[in-house]
Amino acid sequence: MDYYAEIAQRLPRQLRCFVDGEFVAWKDSFPKLSPVDGRELSQVTEADAATVDAAVRAARRAHNGPWRKTTPAQRAEALRRIADGILDRFDEFVAAEVADTGRPIAQARALDVARAISNFRTFADLVSTAHSECFESSGADGTQLLNYVTRKPLGVVGVISPWNLPLLLLTWKVAPALAMGNTVVAKPSEESPTSATLLADVIRDAGLPNGVFNLIHGHGPNAAGEWLTRHPEIDAITFTGESRTGSTIMKAVADGVKNVSFELGGKNAAIVFADADFDAAVEGILRSSFTNAGQVCMCTERVYVERSIFERFVSELKARTKALRVGSPYVAGNTTGPMISKGHRDKVLSYFRLAVEEGATVVTGGDVPHFGDDCDNGAFVQPTIWTGLPDTARCVTEEVFGPVCHIAPFDAEDEVVARVNNSKYGLAASVWTTHLARGHRVAQQIETGIVWVNAWYARDLRTPFGGAKLSGFGREGGRHSMDFYSEITNICVRVD
């Protein structure tokens, strides 16, 4: 048996909520099923309204207690202990991520768990070295004034994280929230609850006061997620997930005028110019379309290739896509895992059918792979490339969130920029060209929160991240996270 499969056998079989420093269970639970072979991995506590209320109130008590009085240096040290705790249990976290999602082991090691550690360490460094604004000025009457800015904790922050990058995106929010002195009630996706439970254990061992971090498991509408967003003692909500859910949360918190930060859906585009480094562009699109079986919010689903290299590009991407190996993450050499669940697989398969109905040419894929073993009980689909659809087709305008891309030719720079921007989403894009001026020029015209030139998914955690249009609201990362998770106050002092 694979090393990580053995570790997965030892993961908790009962996943409980974590409230006020203790793991608590409730009478109701639901099964977490493996997307690889369909077997039951664990039973997960379904938090009821009373458990959600207890978690929020524990967070409020902790906020009003010793945590609020900690210095930035003390909070930074706490974050470093959490990072060290994840590192000490590195392989256990990898096993949890792989078991819950079916992602390749190499990805869980190099990206998911490594980034979780970096999230805590980065915000520990940022909060311990942060500086503020200070201005000297004079009033109309000649009075000398000193204005300086302080950041105070918001209070209790509700963190709702998705299933696609469970640990990475949960810690991306928890780390800065704690760094700025807030307390947290976190709700991970019901599809990927295990690594969040391990994180609660690490945070408890790191010695944070009871109630600073709380974890509730459960579903969304009329369940833990909705009860959390509607709780009157929540001061802010940060959410990553579907645009429709973000809209629902925004309505729920509107009456309380609460701070929100949303990273939502995307229908991300890539532009490949004829002068691009051809092999680098093909490999970049392969990676950006099919990493994590296309289940990354920044994955590319729309590819625009300059007409003179279009046929060659499609042929080469087809060959490299067919070389991907779909299957169990515990089998060496497999590159591509399953959809998170059979329900999500059914959604992706509905787009496979729709694409054909809309007139697409299926270049490769478009079906369910067959293995002849337990993986046939999993949630796998084939990596799929389409051509031949108009820009108005649903498969070109709606987010699939699976291993798919549609490739279309273009003739002129202005034309392709207009086509890329003709979307209700605006999360990410990539531009592939060896012409430096064109790379800068095109990137500045694209209406998304992040644009890569000759790269994809390269991240500096100090830079802003977020989307435009239906892809989100607000920015997180570096100083932008510190601003969101703080109440910023200007203090004006008369000095004469």
Side-chain angles (χ1 to χ4, degrees), residues 145-454:
L145 304 173
L146 178 68
N147 288 269
Y148 64 96
V149 175
T150 64
R151 291 189 178 98
K152 295 175 287 189
L154 289 173
V156 181
V157 177
V159 173
I160 304 176
S161 56
W163 49 257
N164 60 320
L165 299 172
L167 184 64
L168 188 160
L169 291 174
L170 177 63
T171 56
W172 174 241
K173 299 173 181 296
V174 170
L178 295 180
M180 302 314 297
N182 301 286
T183 56
V184 168
V185 180
K187 195 203 87 67
S189 169
E190 64 274 13
E191 300 285 6
S192 51
T194 308
S195 59
T197 307
L198 298 181
L199 178 64
D201 204 30
V202 165
I203 290 177
R204 179 179 62 175
D205 291 346
L208 275 66
N210 291 347
V212 170
F213 176 83
N214 304 271
L215 175 71
I216 55 171
H217 291 298
H219 293 77
N222 301 311
E226 181 174 338
W227 297 330
L228 178 62
T229 60
R230 291 188 178 279
H231 199 289
E233 290 294 314
I234 287 289
D235 296 299
I237 292 287
T238 176
F239 168 75
T240 296
E242 291 185 339
S243 301
R244 181 176 54 203
T245 305
S247 176
T248 300
I249 293 173
M250 184 172 284
K251 293 173 184 175
V253 303
D255 287 345
V257 197
K258 297 178 181 180
N259 285 14
V260 293
S261 178
F262 292 155
E263 193 256 286
L264 306 176
K267 190 67 176 180
N268 306 311
I271 303 173
V272 182
F273 288 96
D275 67 355
D277 180 323
F278 185 82
D279 286 337
V282 173
E283 193 61 31
I285 299 302
L286 181 79
R287 180 169 168 256
S288 71
S289 294
F290 303 124
T291 290
N292 200 38
Q295 298 169 115
V296 178
C297 56
M298 293 174 288
C299 273
T300 301
E301 294 190 9
R302 297 183 293 151
V303 183
Y304 298 92
V305 179
E306 197 160 2
R307 193 175 300 276
S308 62
I309 63 167
F310 176 77
E311 295 296 341
R312 179 187 171 206
F313 188 93
V314 171
S315 177
E316 184 60 26
L317 187 62
K318 173 184 177 180
R320 298 193 194 191
T321 301
K322 289 174 69 68
L324 296 173
R325 290 181 53 178
V326 179
S328 169
Y330 304 115
V331 174
N334 284 348
T335 61
T336 308
M339 302 294 92
I340 187 64
S341 66
K342 290 183 178 178
H344 186 59
R345 181 190 64 178
D346 290 345
K347 173 195 171 185
V348 174
L349 290 176
S350 73
Y351 278 101
F352 283 7
R353 294 189 294 270
L354 177 62
V356 173
E357 293 170 5
E358 290 186 313
T361 296
V362 181
V363 176
T364 187
D367 207 342
V368 175
H370 297 284
F371 304 96
D373 58 27
D374 289 344
C375 285
D376 286 331
N377 298 317
F380 294 89
V381 300
Q382 295 173 340
T384 298
I385 300 173
W386 301 312
T387 60
L389 290 174
D391 288 354
T392 55
R394 286 179 56 196
C395 288
V396 181
T397 61
E398 298 177 9
E399 182 181 37
V400 179
F401 214 65
V404 303
C405 69
H406 177 265
I407 314 176
F410 74 89
D411 296 297
E413 181 180 309
D414 290 347
E415 166 214 340
V416 74
V417 169
R419 293 169 71 184
V420 166
N421 287 339
N422 186 25
S423 172
K424 60 184 178 180
Y425 295 106
L427 184 57
S430 62
V431 179
W432 300 86
T433 177
T434 56
H435 193 296
L436 181 61
R438 170 185 281 156
H440 283 289
R441 182 174 64 246
V442 172
Q444 291 177 29
Q445 295 178 71
I446 294 177
E447 298 167 354
T448 58
I450 186 168
V451 181
W452 289 282
V453 179
N454 299 326

